[in-house]
């Protein structure tokens, strides 16, 4: 398919994303550490899930996986590829190949759910750009500022 037609089609329908609970890590910093260990031990960085997304082609057309960490949807990673790999039990799983860069997004509370869900349209939280500073942030104590930065919340 020609690039112009593909871009126009994507603009019309928007980009499709996934949302997934991050089970285990208590904060984004812990998620980052776990992923760094995984990519060093067995590259590329990937997340295995039992179900293959039926809309994989759409996801790979600019989509990301949005992580819910400790009840907050707060960070995303670009999806680079989706392929089939055996899981620990030997059965085929979907391997979501991820860009290692964690991009902070405007946080919102999320109730627990199983598996993953599609995320599209107006439900997508905006990225928090580098250098974005919340109003009044300069009035916080230095120790709190350091902790918020360590948790990737600033």
């Amino acid at each position: 398919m020609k690039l112009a037609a593909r871009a126009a089609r994507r603009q019309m329908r928007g980009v499709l994303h996934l949302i997934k609970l991050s089970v285990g890590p208590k904060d984004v910093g812990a998620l980052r550490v776990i992923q760094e260990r995984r990519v060093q031990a067995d590259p590329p960085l990937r997340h295995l899930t039992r179900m293959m997304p039926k809309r994989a082609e759409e996801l790979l057309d600019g989509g990301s996986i949005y992580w819910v960490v400790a009840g907050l949807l707060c960070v995303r990673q670009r999806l680079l590829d989706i392929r089939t790999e055996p899981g620990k039990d030997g059965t085929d799983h979907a391997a979501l190949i991820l860009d290692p860069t964690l991009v902070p997004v405007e946080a919102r509370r999320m109730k627990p759910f199983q598996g993953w869900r599609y995320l599209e349209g107006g439900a997508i939280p905006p990225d928090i750009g580098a250098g974005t500073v919340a109003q009044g942030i300069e009035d916080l104590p230095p120790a709190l500022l350091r902790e918020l930065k360590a948790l990737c919340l600033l």
Side-chain angles (χ1 to χ4, degrees):
M1 177 179 294
K2 295 190 180 211
L3 287 178
R6 189 175 190 177
R9 196 178 69 185
R10 180 173 56 189
Q11 263 187 335
M12 285 175 57
R13 71 170 189 277
V15 177
L16 185 65
H17 306 277
L18 290 178
I19 184 169
K20 177 87 173 90
L21 294 181
S22 175
V23 179
K26 302 288 186 217
D27 54 51
V28 175
L31 175 63
R32 178 178 289 114
V33 168
I34 289 168
Q35 288 189 349
E36 286 171 352
R37 287 182 189 148
R38 285 183 184 168
V39 77
Q40 288 176 357
D42 187 20
L45 179 60
R46 62 192 171 280
H47 175 76
L48 291 183
T49 183
R50 285 188 295 168
M51 300 303 293
M52 178 65 75
K54 290 183 168 87
R55 299 171 69 183
E57 184 178 324
E58 291 176 74
L59 290 166
L60 293 174
D61 197 13
S64 292
I65 185 168
Y66 284 76
W67 292 105
V68 176
V69 181
L72 289 173
L73 186 151
C74 57
V75 68
R76 72 175 179 86
Q77 290 176 286
R78 253 181 351 106
L79 286 166
L80 302 177
D81 195 11
I82 301 173
R83 59 187 185 207
T84 303
E85 289 188 13
K88 290 180 182 178
D89 62 359
T91 62
D92 282 346
H93 285 63
L96 308 174
I97 310 302
L98 306 172
D99 182 323
T101 304
L102 292 168
V103 178
V105 299
E106 281 188 11
R108 67 172 70 146
R109 287 251 167 242
M110 293 289 300
K111 292 182 179 180
F113 59 90
Q114 290 187 334
W116 48 262
R117 302 284 184 266
Y118 290 115
L119 184 65
E120 57 188 322
I124 299 166
D127 291 352
I128 298 174
T132 301
V133 179
Q135 204 168 23
I137 203 83
E138 64 279 350
D139 298 330
L140 293 175
L144 179 57
L145 278 172
R146 282 193 301 275
E147 184 68 20
L148 290 171
K149 287 178 182 176
L151 295 171
C152 299
L153 296 173
L154 292 179

